[in-house]
Amino acid sequence: MKNYLIYSLALGIMVLLSWSRGYAQENNLRVLLITGGHGFEEESFYDVFDAMQNITYDTAVQPQANVLIASPDVDEYDVLVFYDMFDTIAPAQQKVYIDLLHQGKAMIFMHHALVSYQNWEEFKHIVGGKYYENPGVVQGDTIRSNYEHDVSIPVKVADKTHPVTAGIPDFDIFDETYGHCEILPTVKPLLSTTHPKSMPYLAWINRYGNSEVLYIQLGHGPEAYRNPHYRQLLQQAIEWSADRHSRFSSNRNH
Ligand SMILES: [Zn+2]
């Protein structure tokens, strides 16, 4: 009898555990992580997302990623996270990006995604800025962007009350700077830096259509991926972005 009780109890706990795991998974935020066009150290990069709480992700590589984004399957995802650096996009796919943003789709652009689509003028209005691979004229000045690897960058939290940066102190990160980029004057800065080789903002929110697009410049390689503040920033960015845009999501209302 005593054994029977112990077995029943153990079985009950096992059922409960697997049920709660399934329940947790079902309620995870669903992320589509888009890469392609720029190399990166994959194992340590994906570890950032593997370690996240309450987030499940699929990966898509360009150019197939833009095909997926233009398909109904895009509705499966709460947040599109771009870590691609790509230049080819068909006009119909451009229209899909714009339509999705007018519907209020959550999009986060990371690091070299700022360099994407050099010849698609609207793209900088989506991301809120542009890295100029070739000289470009910005407010009367000709600028050409540049980068520097292996820099210790002082990061200042520009808005300590925003959910994306809440609880994150000012910190240093070993990462890559982007200099002489265009940043649209309408963005809302979240992170800034005084590093002379960097553009002044390292993260911002840019309103486009019915979406608040996030851009995070940091995140070149393993040193940045390992930084706990960077990890916290990305986790909170995905959570906030999903939450902020959830009312527009059609099939996640369970
Ligand atoms: Zn880089």
Side-chain angles (χ1 to χ4, degrees):
M1 185 62 185
K2 199 170 163 190
N3 279 349
Y4 173 77
L5 273 176
I6 290 167
Y7 287 138
S8 305
L9 200 64
L11 190 67
I13 288 169
M14 275 160 59
V15 168
L16 202 65
L17 276 176
S18 70
W19 174 80
S20 66
R21 252 199 305 271
Y23 181 81
Q25 285 239 314
E26 182 148 309
N27 283 277
N28 275 1
L29 298 175
R30 297 210 34 153
V31 168
L32 181 65
L33 188 49
I34 298 133
T35 63
H38 193 295
F40 59 95
E41 200 159 303
E42 297 195 4
E43 198 178 327
S44 50
F45 176 73
Y46 289 119
D47 183 63
V48 175
F49 294 87
D50 290 337
M52 283 183 181
Q53 303 294 308
N54 309 318
I55 287 166
T56 306
Y57 68 94
D58 290 335
T59 58
V61 182
Q62 297 289 14
Q64 289 85 359
N66 279 342
V67 176
L68 172 59
I69 290 167
S71 79
D73 290 345
V74 75
D75 291 339
E76 298 294 317
Y77 300 100
D78 298 301
V79 186
L80 308 184
V81 178
F82 294 85
Y83 194 60
D84 58 341
M85 187 179 123
F86 208 62
D87 251 329
T88 308
I89 183 162
Q93 293 169 336
Q94 295 176 357
K95 185 175 180 305
V96 166
Y97 274 66
I98 292 166
D99 288 348
L100 285 171
L101 290 162
H102 280 283
Q103 290 161 26
K105 192 77 181 173
M107 296 192 192
I108 299 172
F109 292 85
M110 297 169 61
H111 193 60
H112 46 237
L114 191 68
V115 194
S116 289
Y117 310 121
Q118 290 284 305
N119 299 311
W120 178 21
E121 181 65 17
E122 195 63 14
F123 187 67
K124 79 173 182 190
H125 297 286
I126 292 173
V127 182
K130 178 171 177 172
Y131 182 105
Y132 283 84
E133 282 195 304
N134 300 305
V137 179
V138 178
Q139 292 173 343
D141 291 331
T142 300
I143 63 169
R144 185 178 184 168
S145 307
N146 56 16
Y147 60 86
E148 184 148 319
H149 286 289
D150 301 335
V151 179
S152 181
I153 308 171
V155 182
K156 188 169 165 45
V157 177
D159 184 348
K160 290 186 190 294
T161 62
H162 197 279
V164 172
T165 45
I168 300 176
D170 296 348
F171 62 98
D172 289 338
I173 190 165
F174 190 77
D175 206 341
E176 177 187 14
T177 55
Y178 288 171
H180 303 288
C181 299
E182 179 177 9
I183 303 175
L184 299 188
T186 46
V187 303
K188 176 184 167 47
L190 293 179
L191 299 178
S192 66
T193 186
T194 53
H195 197 285
K197 298 242 165 148
S198 174
M199 57 179 166
Y201 301 150
L202 297 174
W204 63 70
I205 293 170
N206 181 56
R207 189 162 185 89
Y208 189 95
N210 283 306
S211 296
E212 292 187 67
V213 175
L214 261 170
Y215 175 67
I216 297 169
Q217 186 273 337
L218 300 170
H220 174 79
E223 294 87 354
Y225 305 153
R226 278 197 295 267
N227 186 299
H229 303 302
Y230 181 68
R231 287 183 169 222
Q232 187 181 348
L233 178 75
L234 275 186
Q235 166 100 35
Q236 293 180 175
I238 291 170
E239 285 172 352
W240 173 81
S241 196
D243 184 56
R244 171 68 187 77
H245 300 88
S246 61
R247 64 200 166 98
F248 297 103
S249 177
S250 54
N251 60 352
R252 296 283 300 165
N253 295 326
H254 56 270

